[in-house]
Amino acid sequence: MVPHTVLGKVISSFVMILGYAIIAVPTGIVTVEMSKSGLTGRKCSNCESTIAKSDNYCKNCGTPLDE
């Protein structure tokens, strides 16, 4: 089924965009929160930047990290 009137086409376009937004917005929020979860409270001793659990060197200054 396809809308034939202008009003029907406008409404269907709005509903399609709304459907994409319902999927895209939460996906972005979940992705950001998942990327933040890899960070710890650990700080680099040289530059005080936040360090991920799996890092061996500081991303900011290159200082080797203590275990």
Side-chain angles (χ1 to χ4, degrees):
M1 297 179 75
V2 178
H4 294 286
T5 64
V6 175
L7 180 61
K9 290 179 181 182
V10 169
I11 291 172
S12 63
S13 297
F14 177 73
V15 170
M16 285 189 286
I17 291 171
L18 183 65
Y20 289 131
I22 287 173
I23 293 172
V25 171
T27 302
I29 293 170
V30 169
T31 303
V32 167
E33 291 302 319
M34 286 176 64
S35 68
K36 284 183 182 178
S37 69
L39 299 176
T40 67
R42 210 165 61 148
K43 300 275 185 183
C44 174
S45 60
N46 189 30
C47 67
E48 298 297 321
S49 65
T50 304
I51 302 165
K53 293 177 184 177
S54 61
D55 290 347
N56 293 326
Y57 295 92
C58 178
K59 293 188 278 190
N60 194 28
C61 66
T63 302
L65 303 173
D66 297 330
E67 304 268 336

